Amino acid sequence: MKVIGLVSGGKDSCYAMWLASQQGHEIVALANLLPQDTDPDELDSYMFQTVGHQLVGCYAPCMGIPLFRRKLKGKSERQDLQYTQTEGDEVEDLYYLLAYIKESLPQVAAVTSGAIASDYQRIRVENVCFRLGLMSLAPMWHQPQRTLLRGMIESGIEAILVKTAVQGLHPAKHLGKDLQTMEPLLHKLNMSMYRCNVCGEGGEYESLVLNSPLFKHAKIVLDKAEHVVEHSGSVGYLRPVEFHLEPKSTSFLEGASKLAVEHGDVREVPEEWEPPRRDHHRLSFEHPEKSGNYDVALSVREGTDFVQICCRPRHTSHLPPDLTEADTSNALFNVLTALQACLGRMGLSLNDGYAVFVHLYLANVGHFASANSVYCKTFPSLEPPSRATVQVPLPSGCPLLLDLLLARPSPGASHLVGRTVLHVQSISSWAPSCIGPYSQATTYRGICYLAGQIPLLPSSMTLMAGDIVAQTKQSLMSCQAVSIDVGSSTLHAALGLTVYVAAEAGEQGVEQVLECVEQALEGDTIEEDKTSHAYSNLSAGSVDLCGSEADEDDVLPPLDSYLQLSSLARSAGLRPHVTVVVVGALPRGALVEVQPLLVDVAFMDRLEEAIKERRSSSSGGDDGSTVKNTSLTAAAETAATLLNAAGPHSNKSCAASDIDRYQKGLPAGRSDVRELSTTQSSAQSPHVGESVKPIISLKHHRWKSEASSFLDTEESLQLSVKEEDLMIATNASTEKVVVPSSSDSQAELDCQQTSHTGARSQSETNNAREHSSEHASGMGAACNLTSPLTDSDPAAAATAACEMESKPPPEPNSFYSQPVSCQSLVSSIFHRNKLLKTLIHLPVAAFVQSSSSDQSSLQSRLQRAVEGILASHRMQLGHLIRIMAWFDVHKVPSSFTLSVNTTSSNSSMDSGLHITWVPCLGVSSSACDNCAAVVEVLAQRL
């Protein structure tokens, strides 16, 4: 691309230009802002370096390209992190300058800047670039500063210190010293108590470039400078007085070394010049919900803190099998029109910072560009939600499916508090940029939603070459870079990883992806600690994230703050759900896309501290009751039920054995179990309705964990959960559920189904296979959730189920001709003793229907099961954040596929729970690799 170099005279802006040129870009013009004639050299600016501006005019003859300049008129009016157009702000001076250059040189497409760690500066440059239709290039963004400084020196940049403002740097001693001479001292200050930023990112010093590899014609020689000392001698800067150019080539005429600055191509922006008005077009949402040729069905689930809306457009007439881009664009326009109207009735809006995450499923990902153009005109450019886009097998007449998660403000609040967005639009070597109204990560109420990452090379934004393993590693590295930036970790603090795999990768590709992800989670392939010490290939625009082992005797320097993995994230120790979804295709022809869901560990830590303080203050003293109450609460929140059995202990010791079992084709599991027993009780639990009787008694036998000891004495906790709701079947065989525990004692929970008459017998048990469980930071239980509804005798059904287990699986879409018994697996993840995420794996048998008119039975059974899971943890449906399911179109009836994707908003399939059903070509997880559907339940009770 043809690029404008934004220069201040400092080393960072010059090195950024050189890196951009190494990546193939052409610097065709320079841009500089300088003080007014009556202003001092050193302005109180948060954005621009002005010290040494006298020499910047020499850059034009040195590089042989035009330099455009404008004198600063504005001040730092808007000083919060985010920026919107503000009259009188210094950022508007930058807008005027770049707008003038673009008008003079229409071929320019991007702007380089020397941003390294300042979000304040990066966001403002991106704001101006977005308004002008330019790309922002920040090749040094979030790179190790020690690497950058060494790269500057090795590239041939010659720069001197023109300002010092930190303890350890003295104006009289260090002003005018070159970078190479100062490098050892800067490293020493970096490792000292001062923690000086090596590149001066904290304002410790400023530099002035006198020579650069981009100075093809001449370099600058500073003949005389005046020392200006301020603040009692602690801060000082140089004011250039005399300087000249020294030619580098014979192309300079004789006497060129005496050229004055005005002989270069320096162009001032005229005072009277005004940029043309730009109309930032937005879609008009004044259309009815049924507009054009599409009927938009909206499925809305409103919770206490979140709203989930699924939008399904359906063409009112028959569409040809080959959808056009116009069909997709028109459908999305109708969807967004209906969505805005729906949100307006709810008092919400896409432009008020409520949106958290968007799933955009396309019938043809080849139409992504057209759909994205409509999307970009709708969602806000300021702090937009994160997004994932894939191709799925939608039914005829449905070009797309859109699922939106929104946060809702507290009652009485005028705006949302606590939502943060990471939106880096600059192209850099850090992670793929998000140029448009979609962000890398959105965080709210303790959970961070990361955008799907395809294997793009960040510096070029091109798809990396290589097999699916290489692409998976690249996607994971991008995810980890983003997660560290938001204070979390994909490798240590993830609740789940949804990995989309393109169908062309095949079954072998799915296996390779799972193996690669498991290895990464074990720390075999991605080591974030080594990231900032891998100082190679920076000139090519990339840093090796894997790095190499340092010698044992080496004393490694401290990490730059923006590269540090927080201790809270590292200690989270979560083992995430890994769900692999096979889809038709991915954007840009990628083979894999990774979409992490993370815990905001800092928020959870603050929350726990606040709870402890509140309990301590309410107890009136430390008499031991606080500890006991906390233990009881933790035990209640982690109590095992038939659908999930949980313990808050770490699974690190079991991780290796789980992978071994997975590689051998065995289900993941634990060797330690604990006893649960089913009893009848008439006692009422305070968190459920009067009509529900507790029938499950959980006996605690001194659960232990790394963080706490729960009950020192045996306690009995009554769980008011209907057993038939948990089993998702009214007549099933007796199942033996194995529940993990930190205890060495073993026992079993004989889960017996209640007959239609309500009679049940403890003595009537059947021998059934033990189901192992898989869990990350909590536990999972395998249960028979899917026996078809029948009116037959329970014992006969159990016998038939056992016989069926020895038979081969049915062919796709032929299973409902005979009853098939197959186990479902439920796996839950906890953080700080709080249930956050549950996966329900549904086998083929779950979709067996007793009649064609009973399409809603699975939905209603799932709702009862989810209610049971939540109730066992003192939660309700209002605590749900979102619930969605991926189902394999090859394993479920075609009638089900059509029902869930073309239903109207008041259909029975959407009643109650409002599950977003997403068709795919295959789905599996690290807990179960043979299922027909995976239901993700994300819930939270703070």
Side-chain angles (χ1 to χ4, degrees):
M1 292 185 293
K2 296 187 182 299
V3 175
I4 304 169
L6 185 60
V7 295
S8 63
K11 62 183 185 348
D12 297 342
S13 58
C14 287
Y15 190 52
M17 287 193 300
W18 187 79
L19 288 175
S21 68
Q22 293 297 106
Q23 294 169 5
H25 303 297
E26 180 185 0
I27 311 298
V28 297
L30 303 174
N32 173 250
L33 291 162
L34 69 157
Q36 296 283 345
D37 295 337
T38 57
D39 289 339
D41 290 354
E42 171 64 359
L43 294 181
D44 186 18
S45 171
Y46 293 168
M47 276 292 295
F48 310 112
Q49 172 184 327
T50 55
V51 174
H53 66 87
Q54 296 87 346
L55 266 67
V56 176
C58 298
Y59 287 9
C62 287
M63 294 182 65
I65 58 177
L67 167 67
F68 294 81
R69 308 189 82 178
R70 173 183 168 89
K71 293 180 179 178
L72 284 162
K73 296 180 179 179
K75 306 293 182 182
S76 301
E77 297 291 344
R78 190 179 182 92
Q79 298 181 7
D80 50 339
L81 182 60
Q82 297 300 328
Y83 180 80
T84 55
Q85 184 175 347
T86 304
E87 186 178 355
D89 195 282
E90 60 186 353
V91 176
E92 297 309 306
D93 289 313
L94 178 62
Y95 177 84
Y96 270 66
L97 175 61
L98 295 181
Y100 184 79
I101 299 176
K102 186 175 182 181
E103 184 179 89
S104 304
L105 304 173
Q107 71 272 24
V108 296
V111 177
T112 65
S113 67
I116 297 176
S118 173
D119 287 303
Y120 181 93
Q121 295 174 358
R122 174 188 57 79
I123 287 173
R124 279 151 177 77
V125 173
E126 291 173 352
N127 175 274
V128 172
C129 288
F130 177 78
R131 290 156 58 189
L132 292 172
L134 298 169
M135 288 188 181
S136 171
L137 304 181
M140 299 188 297
W141 180 251
H142 278 200
Q143 297 301 301
Q145 292 187 42
R146 298 172 69 90
T147 304
L148 293 174
L149 183 62
R150 175 94 312 251
M152 293 173 191
I153 295 171
E154 292 181 351
S155 70
I157 287 180
E158 298 175 11
I160 61 172
L161 267 61
V162 290
K163 181 182 177 181
T164 59
V166 68
Q167 292 290 332
L169 293 179
H170 308 288
K173 183 178 180 181
H174 296 122
L175 286 178
K177 298 289 186 180
D178 62 83
L179 280 183
Q180 188 165 3
T181 301
M182 293 297 299
E183 185 183 21
L185 177 59
L186 294 174
H187 288 322
K188 183 178 179 180
L189 293 175
N190 175 242
M191 300 185 69
S192 71
M193 60 179 294
Y194 301 118
R195 284 291 185 263
C196 171
N197 287 279
V198 173
C199 287
E201 277 300 287
E204 294 89 345
Y205 70 92
E206 291 180 358
S207 61
L208 183 63
V209 173
L210 303 179
N211 193 14
S212 163
L214 295 178
F215 289 4
K216 302 298 183 183
H217 303 295
K219 67 177 183 179
I220 304 170
V221 177
L222 180 59
D223 300 314
K224 183 179 179 180
E226 176 185 348
H227 284 63
V228 179
V229 179
E230 301 175 340
H231 302 289
S232 302
S234 60
V235 177
Y237 65 90
L238 286 182
R239 177 184 294 126
V241 177
E242 296 180 8
F243 49 89
H244 68 275
L245 300 182
E246 185 175 296
K248 288 185 175 181
S249 65
T250 57
S251 62
F252 265 52
L253 298 175
E254 184 177 357
S257 60
K258 303 298 183 182
L259 282 177
V261 175
E262 56 265 28
H263 285 87
D265 189 1
V266 179
R267 310 178 191 180
E268 294 267 352
V269 178
E271 288 287 337
E272 67 279 2
W273 183 84
E274 290 286 335
R277 290 182 58 86
R278 294 181 177 271
D279 182 17
H280 300 287
H281 176 65
R282 293 282 180 192
L283 283 180
S284 173
F285 290 98
E286 298 178 355
H287 307 284
E289 292 194 12
K290 294 182 179 180
S291 61
N293 298 320
Y294 287 92
D295 178 8
V296 179
L298 299 177
S299 175
V300 181
R301 186 194 59 76
E302 296 187 66
T304 305
D305 302 304
F306 292 89
V307 176
Q308 183 182 7
I309 303 178
C310 180
C311 309
R312 305 182 186 94
R314 182 178 57 183
H315 205 276
T316 54
S317 60
H318 180 71
L319 278 178
D322 296 331
L323 293 172
T324 65
E325 293 190 47
D327 293 327
T328 302
S329 299
N330 188 27
L332 184 56
F333 180 90
N334 281 261
V335 162
L336 295 175
T337 301
L339 179 62
Q340 280 285 54
C342 175
L343 292 177
R345 292 190 293 269
M346 299 171 64
L348 301 174
S349 170
L350 292 177
N351 296 316
D352 292 335
Y354 298 129
V356 174
F357 198 91
V358 177
H359 283 98
L360 180 59
Y361 303 102
L362 300 176
N364 188 342
V365 79
H367 301 166
F368 173 75
S370 297
N372 197 45
S373 64
V374 177
Y375 185 96
C376 290
K377 294 175 182 177
T378 310
F379 283 83
S381 59
L382 182 65
E383 297 189 317
S386 306
R387 186 184 73 180
T389 305
V390 298
Q391 175 179 310
V392 296
L394 295 171
S396 176
C398 183
L400 59 92
L401 181 69
L402 187 144
D403 184 80
L404 174 65
L405 179 66
L406 301 104
R408 61 193 320 167
S410 302
S414 59
H415 62 283
L416 196 66
V417 177
R419 175 181 177 269
T420 60
V421 172
L422 177 65
H423 186 204
V424 180
Q425 301 183 70
S426 298
I427 297 176
S428 68
S429 299
W430 162 71
S433 62
C434 290
I435 305 174
Y438 33 89
S439 60
Q440 282 89 355
T442 305
T443 305
Y444 183 65
R445 292 177 68 86
I447 297 180
C448 184
Y449 307 81
L450 264 64
Q453 290 287 350
I454 61 176
L456 295 176
L457 297 174
S459 60
S460 62
M461 291 297 290
T462 58
L463 191 71
M464 76 167 300
D467 59 11
I468 194 169
V469 174
Q471 291 198 9
T472 303
K473 290 181 179 180
Q474 180 61 48
S475 297
L476 286 171
M477 286 192 287
S478 295
C479 290
Q480 182 67 349
V482 174
S483 61
I484 290 176
D485 204 301
V486 296
S488 190
S489 171
T490 299
L491 306 182
H492 304 87
L495 293 174
L497 301 178
T498 302
V499 184
Y500 299 101
V501 179
E504 64 177 286
E507 293 183 4
Q508 183 179 2
V510 173
E511 294 176 359
Q512 290 175 325
V513 167
L514 268 174
E515 182 179 359
C516 181
V517 173
E518 290 289 349
Q519 289 177 351
L521 294 174
E522 287 299 311
D524 293 340
T525 57
I526 299 178
E527 290 290 341
E528 66 286 336
D529 282 355
K530 302 172 187 175
T531 299
S532 58
H533 301 299
Y535 297 148
S536 60
N537 300 326
L538 185 63
S539 62
S542 65
V543 174
D544 180 13
L545 289 186
C546 294
S548 57
E549 292 287 353
D551 296 335
E552 293 183 1
D553 297 334
D554 289 348
V555 178
L556 296 177
L559 297 173
D560 297 308
S561 59
Y562 48 82
L563 294 175
Q564 292 180 9
L565 175 63
S566 74
S567 58
L568 289 174
R570 180 186 298 280
S571 62
L574 292 179
R575 180 75 173 198
H577 292 135
V578 180
T579 306
V580 178
V581 182
V582 181
V583 296
L586 294 169
R588 304 205 188 189
L591 295 176
V592 65
E593 177 176 335
V594 180
Q595 178 193 331
L597 183 69
L598 310 178
V599 172
D600 181 1
V601 289
F603 176 90
M604 291 299 190
D605 186 67
R606 294 193 302 269
L607 177 65
E608 185 175 22
E609 290 299 323
I611 293 175
K612 288 180 179 179
E613 291 179 4
R614 183 178 303 174
R615 286 173 176 166
S616 177
S617 61
S618 62
S619 66
D622 189 7
D623 57 358
S625 61
T626 302
V627 176
K628 185 175 181 180
N629 291 338
T630 304
S631 300
L632 287 170
T633 302
E637 291 180 347
T638 57
T641 67
L642 296 180
L643 271 187
N644 79 51
H649 59 274
S650 172
N651 70 315
K652 282 293 185 180
S653 60
C654 305
S657 61
D658 281 353
I659 293 180
D660 292 339
R661 292 173 65 84
Y662 169 76
Q663 292 175 343
K664 295 175 182 177
L666 300 175
R670 302 287 186 269
S671 59
D672 50 336
V673 297
R674 54 191 304 277
E675 182 175 43
L676 302 176
S677 62
T678 304
T679 62
Q680 293 280 12
S681 173
S682 60
Q684 284 292 337
S685 178
H687 61 277
V688 293
E690 295 182 357
S691 61
V692 181
K693 294 183 178 180
I695 60 173
I696 304 170
S697 176
L698 172 62
K699 293 185 177 181
H700 295 271
H701 297 284
R702 300 190 62 170
W703 275 23
K704 300 282 186 179
S705 74
E706 295 178 355
S708 62
S709 175
F710 289 141
L711 299 180
D712 293 331
T713 59
E714 183 175 305
E715 298 281 354
S716 180
L717 176 66
Q718 299 294 331
L719 301 177
S720 299
V721 182
K722 286 185 177 179
E723 186 176 358
E724 61 269 22
D725 289 349
L726 298 180
M727 297 299 288
I728 319 186
T730 56
N731 288 314
S733 61
T734 299
E735 288 292 325
K736 184 183 296 181
V737 180
V738 178
V739 182
S741 170
S742 57
S743 172
D744 292 332
S745 63
Q746 293 191 3
E748 61 191 31
L749 170 60
D750 293 327
C751 307
Q752 295 182 335
Q753 278 301 107
T754 306
S755 67
H756 288 288
T757 61
R760 67 193 304 266
S761 172
Q762 292 277 352
S763 61
E764 295 178 1
T765 60
N766 297 288
N767 294 326
R769 183 180 55 180
E770 285 193 354
H771 302 303
S772 59
S773 64
E774 197 281 339
H775 189 274
S777 196
M779 298 297 149
C783 308
N784 190 330
L785 309 179
T786 55
S787 297
L789 293 170
T790 67
D791 292 325
S792 60
D793 179 69
T799 302
C802 293
E803 292 177 354
M804 286 303 302
E805 287 191 356
S806 61
K807 297 182 179 181
E811 295 296 325
N813 296 329
S814 65
F815 55 84
Y816 46 85
S817 60
Q818 55 183 351
V820 178
S821 178
C822 182
Q823 69 175 0
S824 285
L825 182 68
V826 177
S827 178
S828 295
I829 292 183
F830 298 78
H831 182 66
R832 303 293 177 89
N833 303 326
K834 293 182 180 296
L835 174 67
L836 291 178
K837 185 169 179 283
T838 297
L839 284 189
I840 303 176
H841 303 77
L842 299 178
V844 170
F847 295 87
V848 175
Q849 307 298 333
S850 59
S851 66
S852 59
S853 61
D854 194 22
Q855 290 289 332
S856 63
S857 62
L858 175 62
Q859 180 90 356
S860 61
R861 285 178 286 163
L862 275 173
Q863 176 165 336
R864 293 196 301 270
V866 171
E867 288 175 339
I869 293 174
L870 296 176
S872 67
H873 296 281
R874 304 181 184 274
M875 300 168 72
Q876 302 173 352
L877 287 180
H879 293 119
L880 283 175
I881 297 176
R882 73 180 181 200
I883 179 167
M884 57 194 307
W886 296 273
F887 65 95
D888 187 342
V889 294
H890 298 119
K891 295 182 179 180
V892 303
S894 58
S895 58
F896 178 84
T897 303
L898 292 173
S899 176
V900 300
N901 283 289
T902 60
T903 181
S904 62
S905 58
N906 58 359
S907 170
S908 60
M909 280 303 299
D910 278 331
S911 62
L913 205 59
H914 297 287
I915 300 176
T916 298
W917 292 92
V918 182
C920 62
L921 302 178
V923 61
S924 61
S925 79
S926 52
C928 180
D929 59 0
N930 184 22
C931 55
V934 174
V935 183
E936 178 195 86
V937 181
L938 191 63
Q940 183 184 58
R941 181 189 179 192
L942 298 181

